[in-house]
Amino acid sequence: MEKRGKQKSRFWSTTGKLIGVLLGLLLLNRIVYYALLPMIFFHAGFSEEAFDRLRENGSVRALEIPTEHGMLYGWETGENPRKVALYFGGDSIDSNAWLDGLIASGQNSVFQDMTLLTVDYPTFGRSPGPISEQRFLETAETLYSYALDRFPDASMCLIGYSLGCSAALSLAESHTTDGLILIAPMFDGTSMYFPRDSLPHNWFERTASVKLNNDLLATNVSERTLVIYSDSDQITKRVDVEALCALFPTMPTRVCVPPCDHGAYWTVLETGEAIQRFLESM
């Protein structure tokens, strides 16, 4: 009986240790998962079908900008040298898919009276990697310098979508432009995953390798600004968007579009209409 009791005791002790190890691994997995989320660019693959359609479209032109790290690829549309828009797209999508979808939906008419330039970040679309926050911001500077060299007398508007809002804000903070449009902007790189001012948010915001400090940039941006958001966006929530807007020296014009997911703003007609009104007022 004593031997059997010891065997049962060892069994439950071993089982308890295994359960503890499994729970520990599960907890570690979650911690690592959430720790890495604010640090990773979910870079996009190359949409070959969209690229082929755009290449055959006479209204768009392939854009190639050489850099010390390799070529940046993207697209140009429109032929107005006096009015230029730079578009910085969101995560997980390349310029081919975005512009192809814009043309298919007819929303490209928003930019019909100007020149629109957009490129893929490193590792996005056809642009070579690797990607980092520094390379991401360098890409924005490269496109801005390229546009300024080609169109020195043009009025220039910066447009950012989600992740791309950080690129547009960074340029607006360091350069003088004629307008800034932010679609579904993040408060910072961590607020998508943890509520602002919560302990996890503050810890990850300090330790993450990708900061995307939109909140700090906004305090130094004086351009006329349009901010577009949706109440149903669960990635960049309205409360965070409004907190970001409150940091600007002058409160941006804000437009709440009908319910849509974070990646679906360009499927909503009100998004294009708000942008077109803003661009026409420049």
Side-chain angles (χ1 to χ4, degrees):
M1 291 290 294
E2 184 178 351
K3 183 177 180 180
R4 184 177 299 174
K6 288 182 179 179
Q7 288 176 336
K8 286 184 177 180
S9 177
R10 283 198 298 269
F11 171 80
W12 288 114
S13 176
T14 303
T15 301
K17 289 178 181 178
L18 286 173
I19 292 173
V21 169
L22 289 173
L23 289 175
L25 289 173
L26 180 62
L27 178 61
L28 180 62
N29 175 269
R30 292 294 88 189
I31 290 173
V32 171
Y33 178 72
Y34 285 111
L36 290 177
L37 277 177
M39 305 179 193
I40 295 175
F41 288 84
F42 298 98
H43 51 268
F46 169 49
S47 303
E48 188 170 356
E49 297 85 356
F51 174 77
D52 289 339
R53 283 191 292 268
L54 291 176
R55 192 168 50 180
E56 296 171 1
N57 188 318
S59 66
V60 300
R61 299 170 294 282
L63 193 61
E64 298 181 358
I65 305 176
T67 74
E68 60 178 312
H69 302 293
M71 196 74 72
L72 287 176
Y73 294 97
W75 294 95
E76 173 183 347
T77 183
E79 298 182 3
N80 185 350
R82 307 292 298 181
K83 205 168 185 178
V84 175
L86 307 184
Y87 182 82
F88 301 97
D91 226 347
S92 304
I93 190 167
D94 66 342
S95 64
N96 308 283
W98 174 71
L99 186 55
D100 183 58
L102 201 69
I103 292 172
S105 68
Q107 288 271 50
N108 61 314
S109 61
V110 170
F111 305 107
Q112 63 184 358
D113 296 324
M114 61 195 320
T115 297
L116 172 71
L117 306 176
T118 187
V119 294
D120 291 319
Y121 314 122
T123 77
F124 285 56
R126 294 190 297 152
S127 295
I131 186 64
S132 65
E133 184 169 14
Q134 181 180 351
R135 291 283 302 280
F136 166 69
L137 297 177
E138 286 175 355
T139 298
E141 287 284 351
T142 298
L143 182 60
Y144 176 82
S145 297
Y146 174 84
L148 202 60
D149 287 343
R150 279 189 58 193
F151 309 103
D153 300 320
S155 62
M156 192 176 299
C157 182
L158 309 173
I159 306 173
Y161 190 129
S162 186
L163 174 74
C165 291
S166 299
L169 269 168
S170 178
L171 287 176
E173 194 258 356
S174 56
H175 301 283
T176 300
T177 62
D178 298 284
L180 173 66
I181 299 175
L182 305 177
I183 308 169
M186 298 171 285
F187 184 84
D188 61 33
T190 310
S191 61
M192 293 188 298
Y193 311 106
F194 302 104
R196 285 176 299 107
D197 297 326
S198 67
L199 184 61
H201 172 276
N202 295 341
W203 186 84
F204 284 116
E205 198 269 337
R206 287 194 301 270
T207 60
S209 60
V210 176
K211 304 289 187 183
L212 300 180
N213 287 326
N214 295 348
D215 53 329
L216 301 181
L217 294 171
T219 61
N220 296 312
V221 171
S222 57
E223 279 87 348
R224 289 179 59 244
T225 302
L226 168 67
V227 176
I228 297 173
Y229 61 93
S230 175
D231 283 332
S232 61
D233 188 339
Q234 295 303 305
I235 301 296
T236 53
K237 299 178 177 63
R238 177 172 184 160
V239 63
D240 292 329
V241 173
E242 291 185 339
L244 179 67
C245 289
L247 297 175
F248 284 77
T250 301
M251 179 65 78
T253 300
R254 291 163 293 168
V255 173
C256 182
V257 298
C260 66
D261 294 332
H262 183 71
Y265 280 79
W266 279 110
T267 67
V268 177
L269 290 177
E270 285 81 355
T271 296
E273 291 171 352
I275 292 173
Q276 191 161 23
R277 287 195 300 270
F278 185 86
L279 293 175
E280 288 173 351
S281 69
M282 283 176 51

